[in-house]
Amino acid sequence: MMVGAFFFSALAFAQTPTSAVEASALPADLVRLRDAALADDYAYRQLAHLTENIGARPEGSPQAQAGVEYVADELRKLGLKVRLEECRVPQWLRAIESAELVQFPGQPPGSVQKIIVTALAGNSPTPPEGITGEVVVVNDFDELKKLGREKVAGKIVLFNVVFDKQKAAAGLAGEAYGEAVVYRGQGGTAAAEMGAVASLVRSVGGSDYRLPHTGWSTPAGIPQGAVSSEDAGLIAHLAAEGTVRMRLTLTSQNAPQVTSYNVVGDLQGSQNPEQVVIVSGHLDSWDLGTGALDDAAGVAVAMQTAHLVQQLHLHPRRTIRVVAWMDEEDGGTGHEAYTKAHHAEFSNHVAAIESDLGAAHPFGFEARIKPEALPLLKPVQDVLSNLGTNLIHLTSRSPGADIQALAEAGVPAFGIMQDARTYFNYHHSAADTLDKVDPRQLQENAAAMAVLAYELAEMPQPLPR
Ligand SMILES: [Zn+2]
């Protein structure tokens, strides 16, 4: 009883942000933004529309275009001045993908074993009937090199690089991903250089429901795919005992570039309209799931920032600019186009925020800022501390792929630092769907982005850079 009563009162305190004490101590507009975000389902409704009514949004697809038009219309409804800024995006058309082991140690006569595989962008298609070859399993690039060309040429290479779930569970999911994803990106070219006829990577991420993870890879002139982590383990086991041969059919291929758009929407009525704070996520997604975590959630919370500022009739000094980036996933042509069009204005971009690590509870922000800028962000930390969203980790890398050019030009750059322990279980797989987003946690993300963006747009002087 005592414990229960204490727990209740502690919870009540933590969730009553507008207490008289707090209201007097904290910047009132930031508190109002935070509380409005936590009481509002705008971002969730946008996320639901993007993922369930529109669906997967691979660049160049009709769904990506529908996403562009939808976000533009919604921002116009909020009163933003909206432009569609052109970019030329690669198109990659998924087609047949199948694999089976046609020879393996212990094989019962007449049997084959199905392998779960998905093509990677960068794939060069197999013939419709597939190719058949011996599988060579390696654990890293060095093992591949040591084998030498004579043991690799004419074969199918499998990079059996295990995603480090322990790192992910300990909060180092990004690091775990970084260690494994280089084999998805560069494995094909390394294998092709040794004369391999195809390159497979163990699915990158922590999924253990035999779901393969797709993604970008450097075009290498050979078929490239990802097999589920379970199947990679199975093949490695069998290859250690004897010869394994696979029939592999991956007919997905590149198509000519097409025109697409970044959606760029500016809140109106600021005193210094030329000074810009970007709030952003990327609108494109892979095709296997519906791109809820990656990254309709980021777009939705960026849209909600504008919605909340309008709803509360706030008028920050500087322009808050919502950007829904196109083609983060397959080449980054959207942010390249933005850089080309706006480079001369980067000195007037006072900050850029991107959310692209899912929608789980945010701990705070990754920030590529000058250390002397940190104390100026204390109001943001104070207002978000009751959510536990008060950390600011300084980083030397860009905290978002789409804002990298801005970050490198010295624009203070921020990424929302979500709890990513399970993010890579779903990321780029068929399981990246709306149900993985907890509405309450999405509200916390919206609060984080809105409070930070508003402070950056309203503080008397922009952050030092
Ligand atoms: Zn993403």
Side-chain angles (χ1 to χ4, degrees), residues 282 294-295 328-329 356 423:
H282 67 84
D294 187 15
D295 181 30
E328 188 275 338
E329 297 289 5
D356 189 16
Y423 178 67

Side-chain angles (χ1 to χ4, degrees), residues 173-413:
E175 286 80 353
Y177 183 69
E179 288 173 1
V181 78
V182 291
Y183 291 90
R184 192 195 76 204
Q186 308 303 327
T189 42
E193 276 168 22
M194 308 280 280
V197 293
S199 178
L200 299 173
V201 65
R202 181 182 176 121
S203 188
V204 182
S207 158
D208 54 8
Y209 286 94
R210 215 177 177 186
L211 289 175
H213 153 120
T214 190
W216 174 87
S217 64
T218 308
I222 58 173
Q224 298 192 66
V227 296
S228 73
S229 55
E230 292 88 340
D231 289 307
L234 180 154
I235 294 166
H237 165 207
L238 295 173
E241 294 181 354
T243 300
V244 173
R245 289 173 63 79
M246 174 188 281
R247 179 158 54 238
L248 177 68
T249 309
L250 295 173
T251 61
S252 306
Q253 58 188 310
N254 292 303
Q257 286 195 339
V258 293
T259 297
S260 187
Y261 304 93
N262 295 317
V263 183
V264 180
D266 289 347
L267 269 166
Q268 299 295 291
S270 59
Q271 297 157 31
N272 304 99
E274 73 291 348
Q275 294 191 340
V276 169
V277 173
I278 288 179
V279 293
S280 67
H282 67 84
L283 190 50
D284 63 303
S285 77
W286 289 105
D287 56 333
L288 299 180
T290 60
L293 295 171
D294 187 15
D295 181 30
V299 173
V301 297
M303 293 169 77
Q304 181 153 16
T305 294
H307 167 68
L308 292 170
V309 171
Q310 295 292 64
Q311 187 185 48
L312 298 176
H313 306 292
L314 297 172
H315 298 283
R317 287 186 169 86
R318 307 180 187 90
T319 299
I320 292 179
R321 173 172 291 173
V322 180
V323 182
W325 304 102
M326 185 48 66
D327 188 30
E328 188 275 338
E329 297 289 5
D330 195 15
T333 55
H335 62 83
E336 281 172 16
Y338 185 89
T339 299
K340 211 172 162 190
H342 296 279
H343 193 261
E345 303 148 27
F346 277 11
S347 58
N348 265 328
H349 281 55
V350 302
I353 312 171
E354 180 165 24
S355 172
D356 189 16
L357 195 60
H361 169 69
F363 295 120
F365 307 94
E366 297 278 351
R368 190 181 193 270
I369 55 173
K370 287 266 162 66
E372 57 268 32
L374 197 51
L376 299 168
L377 295 168
K378 189 165 182 304
V380 172
Q381 292 175 291
D382 289 346
V383 167
L384 296 174
S385 68
N386 72 330
L387 299 178
T389 306
N390 54 337
L391 298 181
I392 298 182
H393 273 179
L394 298 188
T395 169
S396 56
R397 293 179 306 181
S398 174
D402 293 300
I403 58 173
Q404 187 173 345
L406 288 151
E408 285 169 1
V411 177

